[in-house]
Amino acid sequence: MAKNFKLDLTHRPRRLRRFASRRSLVEETVLRTADLIAPLFVIDGKGKPEEIGSMPGVFRLTIPDLVKECRELHQLGVPAVALFPKLDPKLKDEVGSRALDPGTLVLRAVRAVKAAVPELSVITDVALDPYTSHGHDGVLNAAKDNVDNDRTVGILCEMAVLQAEAGVDFVAPSDMMDGRVGAIRKALDAAGFTDTAILAYSAKYNSAYYGPFRDAVGSAQAAGTRLLSKATYQMNPANRREAIEEVLLDVSEGADIVMVKPAGLCLDIIREVRNATNRPVAAYQISGEYAQIHAAARLGWLDLAKCRRESLLAIKRAGADMILTYFAKDMAKALKG
Ligand code: PBG
């Protein structure tokens, strides 16, 4: 009879799930505030924080507000921030000249943050997309049908040196040009910045989930579309082995940390990269991943706090040592209890 049905089982995995105390003893992955990096958007001027429509709770901040936010993040125990500038469209041009202006927004932001909160690590993107009128990460070739790899790398090297001079802890090439990590390492060393580290966006996929970020930095507006194709430099989401090739190249060129991006869509890649190198591995939970969870939560379809935690835990379980996430501050608060 079903009522008296008994199994003669040696193994009952549920035993270890019976009480919270047992569950905590066998918990394999622990998310820590010290694993989190907060991406932040900065704008010029004296205005109020501007919320990004497709990223609820994420704001473009003026430098004074950015400094305040960095202080709070530091107090919560978040070890690092990644800064992204949104430029006035009038300042953008074909070759992204403003990227090499020593007074450009992001450099002023870095100086202000490092002066106010020196213990906080500051990361800046090395790529031209916030600066170009077409929204690409580099300069175009003569035919204007592709991004010119080597000319772009030359500009990125100058950009990285300016960022190092401003005091960043990490430069983060997010452009996916060939050979840029090695060239940037050489340029930094030649300028005396042997202590400035490289966080390389090594396996960066050509993802449709970058849409909200492109709203945030205005590169969508500049390009006239949020779906600008970066397929000639970012990786095809269909590819896995290629990610390992990219990672190993970046490691051989001197990357201190390698990154996989997006994160939640690439848990398999994170694991493979983890197994392929002993370098620290970062993962970027991108704008679209953040937007998805928020949108579903707004509709009452998902629980925001629980999905936030689970999505980050999954990324860490996959093998990431650190996670760039727009949830950094809220997660840090939640972890504090
Ligand atoms: C651009 C850059 C992108 C992101 C970080 N740096 C977008 C892109 O490649 O178009 C995406 C971040 C996100 O979606 O949260 N160099």
Side-chain angles (χ1 to χ4, degrees), residues 180-223:
R180 90 283 204 213
V181 170
I184 289 172
R185 183 70 270 159
K186 270 205 194 97
L188 290 173
D189 289 351
F193 296 107
T194 50
D195 254 357
T196 307
I198 299 179
L199 166 56
Y201 286 72
S202 301
K204 179 173 178 179
Y205 286 91
N206 181 28
S207 174
Y209 290 77
Y210 299 146
F213 174 94
R214 294 182 188 174
D215 293 336
V217 300
S219 65
Q221 208 185 343

Side-chain angles (χ1 to χ4, degrees), residues 7-282:
L7 290 169
D8 180 17
L9 286 184
T10 304
H11 298 289
R12 289 185 183 267
R14 289 185 60 197
R15 263 180 218 125
L16 295 180
R17 301 182 199 130
R18 181 68 179 88
F19 301 108
S21 60
R22 293 187 195 176
R23 290 195 295 273
S24 83
L25 285 171
V26 299
E27 186 163 279
E28 297 177 37
T29 308
V30 181
L31 192 65
R32 307 175 310 157
T33 297
D35 303 325
L36 306 176
I37 298 170
L40 299 172
F41 298 105
V42 57
I43 43 168
D44 244 320
K46 296 199 173 73
K48 287 212 170 67
E50 298 174 358
E51 190 166 22
I52 296 143
S54 48
M55 302 177 74
V58 178
F59 296 82
R60 299 185 196 97
L61 305 170
T62 60
I63 291 177
D65 287 331
L66 175 76
V67 168
K68 238 171 67 193
E69 182 70 7
C70 287
R71 267 212 190 89
E72 287 176 27
L73 285 163
H74 175 61
Q75 272 157 13
L76 282 165
V78 174
V81 296
L83 304 184
F84 297 95
K86 175 178 190 280
L87 259 67
D88 184 330
K90 288 199 295 284
L91 300 177
K92 302 188 185 194
D93 60 26
E94 281 265 300
V95 294
S97 314
R98 287 290 158 151
L100 299 184
D101 169 359
T104 197
L105 172 60
V106 78
L107 300 178
R108 281 182 278 121
V110 168
R111 288 186 209 105
V113 171
K114 286 308 283 187
V117 204
E119 308 88 349
L120 184 72
S121 273
V122 174
I123 303 166
T124 42
D125 242 40
V126 185
L128 292 178
D129 57 309
Y131 305 96
T132 52
S133 46
H134 41 71
H136 278 292
D137 289 25
V139 293
L140 302 181
N141 60 5
K144 298 208 189 306
D145 64 352
N146 198 7
V147 171
D148 184 326
N149 191 86
D150 298 12
R151 258 185 74 214
T152 298
V153 172
I155 298 171
L156 299 179
C157 288
E158 289 184 50
M159 206 176 162
V161 170
L162 285 170
Q163 293 173 352
E165 271 165 11
V168 297
D169 297 272
F170 293 88
V171 294
S174 68
D175 56 291
M176 290 299 280
M177 296 301 119
D178 294 333
R180 90 283 204 213
V181 170
I184 289 172
R185 183 70 270 159
K186 270 205 194 97
L188 290 173
D189 289 351
F193 296 107
T194 50
D195 254 357
T196 307
I198 299 179
L199 166 56
Y201 286 72
S202 301
K204 179 173 178 179
Y205 286 91
N206 181 28
S207 174
Y209 290 77
Y210 299 146
F213 174 94
R214 294 182 188 174
D215 293 336
V217 300
S219 65
Q221 208 185 343
T225 171
R226 310 161 81 211
L227 293 174
L228 179 71
S229 175
K230 299 191 178 182
T232 69
Y233 44 107
Q234 297 179 349
M235 284 177 44
N236 180 348
N239 295 355
R240 187 167 55 86
R241 295 189 309 262
E242 190 184 345
I244 306 306
E245 289 283 309
E246 282 283 7
V247 163
L248 296 180
L249 272 174
D250 284 1
V251 169
S252 73
E253 290 177 30
D256 296 281
I257 301 176
V258 292
M259 190 182 342
V260 175
K261 179 184 178 185
L265 293 155
C266 296
L267 297 177
D268 55 334
I269 308 298
I270 296 173
R271 171 51 51 185
E272 292 232 6
V273 168
R274 172 68 294 152
N275 292 339
T277 175
N278 289 322
R279 290 278 165 194
V281 176

